[in-house]
Amino acid sequence: IAVASQKPLFEHFNTTQANVLIINEEDGERLLQQRFRQLGIEKDTGLPIHISALTDFKLEDEQVDKTIQFCKDNEITLVIIDSLIRVHNADENSAREMSKVFAKLRRFTKAEIAVLVTQHNRKATQHSTGGASEMRGSSDILAAVDSHIGVKRDSKDRFYLTCTHKHHL
């Protein structure tokens, strides 16, 4: 929403306006629309947000090609994928297999489309920090991304964001 409307993210971080595609393989469109309403965004606000929910999207060449073309046709420059585990059939603990998954994601960035991917953490412990050490899967996942932001919620429903990885170009 922040990127589509060019409003500061979390009322703090400046954004550049972009058309957005949300590929959500975790939740249906009805639940996503409900979440948008909870955030004060109604369906017909005119924000350039496209939603693809529960369509069995996979990071396979044909689907990636079609999605990149859809993005070009609709001037979309940000794709959000929720969640990583739902869009591939690779063993997430295998560096070799995850490098192939990220090669598919790099096709978007080569087409000048930014990609934001959600990834679940391991089950929390009392010493959990929400950082990269709790991320599920191969360390190759962390090595493949430009930035990693960990999110942790405490018992009082406060959220903490931690930038745990960033490449400098």
Side-chain angles (χ1 to χ4, degrees), residues 15-169:
T15 62
T16 300
Q17 195 285 326
N19 296 352
V20 177
L21 170 62
I22 299 171
I23 298 173
N24 190 306
E25 291 297 325
E26 295 258 325
D27 306 302
E29 189 165 345
R30 177 174 282 167
L31 180 57
L32 293 174
Q33 293 298 339
Q34 178 184 344
R35 288 181 179 163
F36 276 102
R37 281 192 301 278
Q38 289 173 330
L39 293 168
I41 304 296
E42 293 299 324
K43 188 173 186 173
D44 298 323
T45 60
L47 285 178
I49 299 174
H50 302 263
I51 297 173
S52 171
L54 298 178
T55 61
D56 199 30
F57 174 85
K58 296 291 184 206
L59 287 168
E60 297 168 352
D61 287 333
E62 184 178 340
Q63 290 190 45
V64 170
D65 289 341
K66 287 180 180 178
T67 305
I68 288 172
Q69 189 58 54
F70 178 82
C71 290
K72 288 180 178 182
D73 292 345
N74 292 279
E75 299 179 353
I76 293 168
T77 55
L78 173 61
V79 172
I80 299 171
I81 298 175
D82 187 10
S83 72
L84 180 63
I85 190 69
R86 302 283 180 245
V87 298
H88 67 82
N89 294 316
D91 174 358
E92 72 178 352
N93 293 308
S94 166
R96 182 182 314 238
E97 289 189 36
M98 291 312 296
S99 69
K100 293 176 185 175
V101 169
F102 277 89
K104 304 288 186 195
L105 288 170
R106 276 191 296 282
R107 292 186 54 209
F108 286 95
T109 59
K110 287 179 182 177
E112 298 185 12
I113 301 166
V115 180
L116 185 152
V117 179
T118 66
Q119 167 74 335
H120 296 281
N121 283 349
R122 293 182 181 97
K123 297 288 183 192
T125 66
Q126 71 182 51
H127 303 293
S128 297
T129 63
S133 64
E134 294 178 15
M135 190 174 71
R136 284 176 33 167
S138 166
S139 60
D140 201 61
I141 296 171
L142 189 61
V145 300
D146 289 330
S147 295
H148 171 267
I149 299 174
V151 180
K152 181 179 172 146
R153 178 172 59 186
D154 69 12
S155 61
K156 296 179 182 176
D157 276 344
R158 292 179 293 202
F159 288 85
Y160 298 88
L161 304 176
T162 307
C163 184
T164 56
H165 183 76
K166 183 173 178 144
H167 287 290
H168 297 283
L169 301 177

